[in-house]
Amino acid sequence: MAEKRRPLLGFVGKLPSGTAAGNSGKTHCPLCRGLFEAPRLLPCLHTVCTTCLEQLEPFSVVDIRGGESDTSSEGSIFQELKPRALQPQIGILCPVCDAQVDLPMGGVKALTIDHLAMNDVMLESLRGEGQGLVCDLCSDREVEKRCQTCKANLCHFCCQAHRRQKKTTYHTMVDLKDLKGYSQIGKPILCPAHPAEELRLFCELCDRPVCRDCVVGEHREHPCDFTSNVIHKHGDSVRKLLRGTQPHMQALEETLAQIKGTNNALQERVKAVAADIRTFSEGYIKAIEEHRDKLLKQLEDIRVQKENSLQLQKAQLEQLLADMRTGVEFTEHLLASGSDLEILITKGVVVERLTKLNKVEYSAHPGVNEKIVFSPKEKAGLCRGYEVYGAINTKEVDPAKCVLQGEDLHRAREKQPASFTVLCKDATGESVGRGGDNVQVTVVPKDKKDSPVKTMVHDNKDGTYYVSYTPKEPGTYTVLVCVKEQHVQGSPFTVTVRKRHRSHPGVFHCCTFCSSGGQKTARCACGGTMPGGYLGCGHGHKGHPGRPHWSCCGKFTEKSECTWAGGQSGPWSLLRTVAF
């Protein structure tokens, strides 16, 4: 048989609620929906007709448990576990809860019979005026009476025969209609090993009901007693388990109620957040649409402005061209066809006109350009309370108007970063206010032009570019800055790179006496001394400069380069003070 594994756990709800069998008062099979016929109780305590179970598709599983299966109809659920090797086992899934049911060796028919469900079916049939009940003896006619002694349902014919037999003459016979108020009218439960014997005894060792023949046979030396004598002990153990299970039911019901409440709150919260999202997105869409309309109107205004400027320049240049053409044609005709006297007579007017035309200033290039750039990532402020992006720029960079700024434009130190800023401007000298232009910077030593210094250009996105580089050795360097492959204003220029900054080996102090803790031998580069044999400077004494200074070189600026040359060149170089 091919192995078909299915999930062992599933959502309960495979069948409509109220269709589960196996509980008191349940009489219909959850699969066929009819009254139970030979109902079998599954380990999950759901009841299904034998025929319906046999129609379910089985699958193969590997039984890794020790001992015998607990799903047989008469087997003990407390038998001693016996270790055994792995072996395949056939299983089915409960049609109600999807729980895995491991079938015993006898298959579906070896599962426990649900006698309680059979009793409920009989009661259900009695409530329907006996419809569907047939005689237990002849299995042919409808039931009329019930023998309370034999617990058998009999038709009219079999009932008369029952009374004629000596053994059953004095059995109590009850009309079927008089049994409708009863809760237990089930048939005697017969032994599966001895079908003629009723199960009246209970084997404590095997933990299973047995008949008289079982006691003298298979269970000969086992402790057995009547079921009426042992039901209290076993019933109490089941009630104890029931009492331990019931609180879990209450806890689960409370948890399910909490889950339901949480789920309801979740749904309400989802609706509220969804409404917030829709409100936000609708507002954002309106803001974007409004910003779009503003941009389109701005674009149209730019178009009109540029077209008007071009049309005005065109009209002016056309008029100037017409005036010049008239002057040139008249003068050429005069010089070609006029007599000497005629030329001299009109000379004054012609000269005055041509001179005036030659003095007219005009641009040899269009007054405006077609440069219109849309920058989608540029912030455009707030619109309806939302941050919007996208701006139109019409300014074009003019390399001749771009300027350079920075303290390190013309000086730098070896092996220390130097930087400056490129400010891009348009033809009118105004900042373009945006980035994205092609800015190229080259730094080369004057005597090693084939070894350029690595440069970094950072676009600040506002029309400025931060340039940094680190010269490796002192000397003169040439810096070339180009925008759109054209030199900017002041490019190329030279930078003098000096040796690395020299730090101060001394201390920046107010006087030697204070910084040395009163040591007489401590000296200072300022040359000051104090009475009493102090070789260093002190406040108000001879040589003190009157303000803080460096002990090593005497400089007054704390952040400065040290000019002390070292060696024993001065009396103050014999000892340097240290700060406490």
Side-chain angles (χ1 to χ4, degrees):
M1 182 178 295
E3 180 178 351
K4 294 184 179 180
R5 294 304 303 268
R6 295 174 60 188
L8 302 185
L9 296 177
F11 286 103
V12 177
K14 183 176 179 181
L15 295 172
S17 61
T19 62
N23 298 321
S24 178
K26 301 301 180 180
T27 58
H28 289 74
C29 176
L31 281 182
C32 65
R33 306 298 176 87
L35 289 174
F36 281 122
E37 293 183 5
R40 301 287 174 174
L41 182 63
L42 304 181
C44 56
L45 301 185
H46 291 128
T47 304
V48 185
C49 293
T50 301
T51 306
C52 296
L53 289 176
E54 289 175 341
Q55 294 175 354
L56 295 178
E57 183 179 3
F59 57 90
S60 177
V61 297
V62 176
D63 186 7
I64 61 174
R65 300 171 301 173
E68 299 295 330
S69 173
D70 62 351
T71 56
S72 63
S73 60
E74 307 300 337
S76 171
I77 60 174
F78 302 106
Q79 289 182 2
E80 182 181 358
L81 297 181
K82 301 177 182 179
R84 62 183 181 184
L86 296 179
Q87 58 180 331
Q89 184 165 349
I90 303 302
I92 59 175
L93 293 181
C94 173
V96 179
C97 65
D98 248 2
Q100 178 177 323
V101 177
D102 296 336
L103 295 179
M105 296 300 294
V108 170
K109 291 183 179 180
L111 293 171
T112 304
I113 298 176
D114 192 346
H115 296 282
L116 186 60
M118 296 174 64
N119 182 75
D120 292 337
V121 169
M122 188 171 296
L123 288 174
E124 180 78 12
S125 299
L126 286 177
R127 296 187 185 100
E129 301 298 335
Q131 296 178 2
L133 286 179
V134 294
C135 178
D136 290 339
L137 296 181
C138 65
S139 302
D140 188 21
R141 301 176 184 86
E142 290 187 1
V143 175
E144 287 188 3
K145 294 181 180 295
R146 177 178 175 83
C147 177
Q148 293 290 70
T149 306
C150 299
K151 296 182 181 179
N153 299 323
L154 305 174
C155 65
H156 177 72
F157 179 81
C158 293
C159 182
Q160 290 179 347
H162 203 62
R163 289 183 184 277
R164 289 195 294 266
Q165 296 182 9
K166 289 183 179 182
K167 282 187 176 183
T168 59
T169 299
Y170 300 103
H171 286 191
T172 304
M173 307 295 291
V174 182
D175 288 340
L176 204 61
K177 60 182 179 180
D178 296 333
L179 297 174
K180 292 185 178 180
Y182 283 55
S183 61
Q184 285 288 338
I185 60 171
K187 299 178 181 180
I189 302 178
L190 303 178
C191 177
H194 310 95
E197 293 293 332
E198 185 178 351
L199 294 173
R200 294 178 180 273
L201 302 168
F202 188 82
C203 178
E204 293 287 354
L205 180 63
C206 299
D207 195 32
R208 56 185 289 185
V210 294
C211 67
R212 291 183 303 174
D213 291 351
C214 292
V215 171
V216 299
E218 182 182 355
H219 302 267
R220 177 184 298 273
E221 297 181 358
H222 294 183
C224 297
D225 201 350
F226 288 100
T227 56
S228 58
N229 296 334
V230 300
I231 185 59
H232 299 290
K233 180 180 69 171
H234 292 280
D236 290 342
S237 65
V238 175
R239 291 185 187 93
K240 183 178 179 182
L241 285 174
L242 178 62
R243 287 193 297 269
T245 305
Q246 286 171 337
H248 293 296
M249 289 181 58
Q250 182 179 358
L252 289 172
E253 289 174 352
E254 293 176 355
T255 304
L256 288 173
Q258 293 177 2
I259 291 175
K260 182 179 179 180
T262 303
N263 185 58
N264 293 336
L266 173 64
Q267 301 304 324
E268 294 298 325
R269 187 57 188 158
V270 168
K271 291 180 181 178
V273 174
D276 293 341
I277 292 174
R278 292 189 186 95
T279 302
F280 171 81
S281 58
E282 289 171 0
Y284 210 163
I285 290 172
K286 290 181 179 179
I288 293 174
E289 290 176 346
E290 182 176 326
H291 182 56
R292 175 201 62 192
D293 296 340
K294 288 181 180 179
L295 289 175
L296 293 176
K297 185 178 182 303
Q298 179 185 355
L299 180 62
E300 180 63 17
D301 293 342
I302 293 173
R303 182 192 67 80
V304 171
Q305 179 184 0
K306 285 182 175 286
E307 280 190 356
N308 290 341
S309 298
L310 290 173
Q311 292 299 328
L312 178 59
Q313 184 182 15
K314 176 184 176 184
Q316 292 173 345
L317 293 178
E318 286 178 345
Q319 182 61 46
L320 180 59
L321 178 59
D323 293 342
M324 287 189 173
R325 183 176 287 113
T326 300
V328 170
E329 289 177 353
F330 180 83
T331 304
E332 289 177 346
H333 178 67
L334 175 64
L335 294 175
S337 304
S339 62
D340 295 343
L341 185 58
E342 290 172 341
I343 293 174
L344 293 175
I345 292 174
T346 56
K347 169 181 170 295
V349 178
V350 172
V351 171
E352 181 181 359
R353 179 59 176 169
L354 293 180
T355 302
K356 184 178 180 181
L357 290 174
N358 288 334
K359 290 182 179 181
V360 174
E361 294 182 357
Y362 62 91
S363 175
H365 305 282
V368 297
N369 53 50
E370 77 288 357
K371 184 73 172 182
I372 302 176
V373 178
F374 175 65
S375 303
K377 296 183 180 180
E378 184 175 339
K379 290 185 177 181
L382 297 177
C383 182
R384 291 177 172 260
Y386 297 91
E387 184 76 35
V388 292
Y389 293 81
I392 296 177
N393 294 300
T394 59
K395 296 180 179 180
E396 186 176 8
V397 176
D398 185 354
K401 299 291 184 178
C402 297
V403 296
L404 305 174
Q405 293 180 347
E407 297 180 356
D408 300 334
L409 271 179
H410 300 287
R411 63 187 182 192
R413 297 277 184 177
E414 65 170 328
K415 299 180 181 179
Q416 292 184 355
S419 61
F420 60 90
T421 303
V422 181
L423 281 70
C424 292
K425 299 184 177 183
D426 60 8
T428 63
E430 295 182 0
S431 174
V432 295
R434 58 170 176 78
D437 291 302
N438 182 20
V439 178
Q440 297 178 334
V441 179
T442 305
V443 179
V444 294
K446 195 170 184 180
D447 53 348
K448 297 181 181 179
K449 294 186 178 182
D450 56 343
S451 301
V453 178
K454 181 180 179 180
T455 58
M456 300 291 293
V457 180
H458 178 71
D459 187 353
N460 296 324
K461 307 297 183 182
D462 59 356
T464 63
Y465 297 83
Y466 180 79
V467 181
S468 62
Y469 64 96
T470 302
K472 296 182 179 180
E473 51 188 44
T476 302
Y477 290 73
T478 302
V479 181
L480 302 92
V481 182
C482 296
V483 176
K484 298 170 61 175
E485 299 183 354
Q486 298 181 33
H487 284 282
V488 301
Q489 183 178 344
S491 175
F493 62 91
T494 59
V495 176
T496 301
V497 177
R498 295 186 293 173
K499 292 184 177 180
R500 192 171 184 177
H501 180 82
R502 296 181 58 196
S503 58
H504 292 274
V507 294
F508 191 72
H509 64 182
C510 59
C511 69
T512 307
F513 184 82
C514 293
S515 63
S516 66
Q519 294 182 16
K520 288 188 175 183
T521 57
R523 304 184 183 188
C524 181
C526 68
T529 59
M530 290 175 58
Y534 288 92
L535 303 181
C537 63
H539 293 287
H541 293 282
K542 180 181 178 181
H544 189 272
R547 53 178 172 169
H549 54 281
W550 282 100
S551 65
C552 50
C553 62
K555 278 194 172 182
F556 302 130
T557 304
E558 183 175 5
K559 294 183 178 180
S560 60
E561 185 178 5
C562 184
T563 57
W564 177 60
Q568 306 291 335
S569 58
W572 54 83
S573 65
L574 297 177
L575 181 66
R576 287 175 290 151
T577 61
V578 293
F580 289 106

